[in-house]
Amino acid sequence: MFSRLIRIIKGGDRRRERRVPVRLKGAMSEYRGRITDVSLGGCGFYADEGGVLQLGDRVTAHLHPPGEEPFDLPAEVVGQDEEGMVYCIAFKEVSPENFERLQDVIVHQALGEAKK
């Protein structure tokens, strides 16, 4: 199981923290959408229609993992993908409790398991 998790998380990107592809409900402050990938350091965010973020915007990242209570993290918009559709979000402060929750989300999403 652990080797499968490592293969999923390791990839070609050069980020300090490896991101795991996910499909989670989420929001960045008032903009609803979905989280496209997540790591301990940040996430990708696809905004629903009408959501426009700017580089440098300080936001509150609302993550809603399936079967769990949503949780919030202070974050900042640090970029966009080449198509301009997915925002690159960096978490600014992660409490020990939220660190554990992020780890849990990453493991369960990487293994394709919803937390029960």
Side-chain angles (χ1 to χ4, degrees):
M1 177 168 99
F2 185 71
S3 63
R4 179 174 166 220
L5 176 63
I6 293 301
R7 279 194 311 274
I8 293 167
I9 293 175
K10 288 201 179 266
D13 73 47
R14 295 188 176 108
R15 292 182 180 100
R16 187 174 13 186
E17 302 291 341
R18 297 295 178 206
R19 291 192 178 189
V20 174
V22 298
R23 284 187 59 104
L24 300 175
K25 289 181 187 177
M28 293 301 141
S29 295
E30 70 271 13
Y31 301 114
R32 296 192 185 284
R34 61 185 179 273
I35 307 299
T36 61
D37 58 68
V38 68
S39 76
L40 294 173
C43 66
F45 177 71
Y46 178 83
D48 288 345
E49 211 171 298
V52 177
L53 298 169
Q54 301 296 321
L55 188 65
D57 282 354
R58 294 283 183 149
V59 295
T60 300
H62 305 285
L63 282 73
H64 192 171
E68 295 186 46
E69 288 294 314
F71 61 103
D72 297 339
L73 298 163
E76 181 178 347
V77 179
V78 295
Q80 281 184 282
D81 68 354
E82 291 177 5
E83 293 83 25
M85 300 190 63
V86 176
Y87 294 97
C88 303
I89 307 296
F91 302 138
K92 299 314 274 178
E93 297 172 28
V94 180
S95 68
E97 176 187 344
N98 282 339
F99 183 85
E100 293 294 323
R101 293 189 76 187
L102 276 172
Q103 280 186 315
D104 206 32
V105 168
I106 290 166
V107 168
H108 285 95
Q109 290 294 312
L111 296 175
E113 304 169 355
K115 187 169 181 182
K116 309 228 184 310

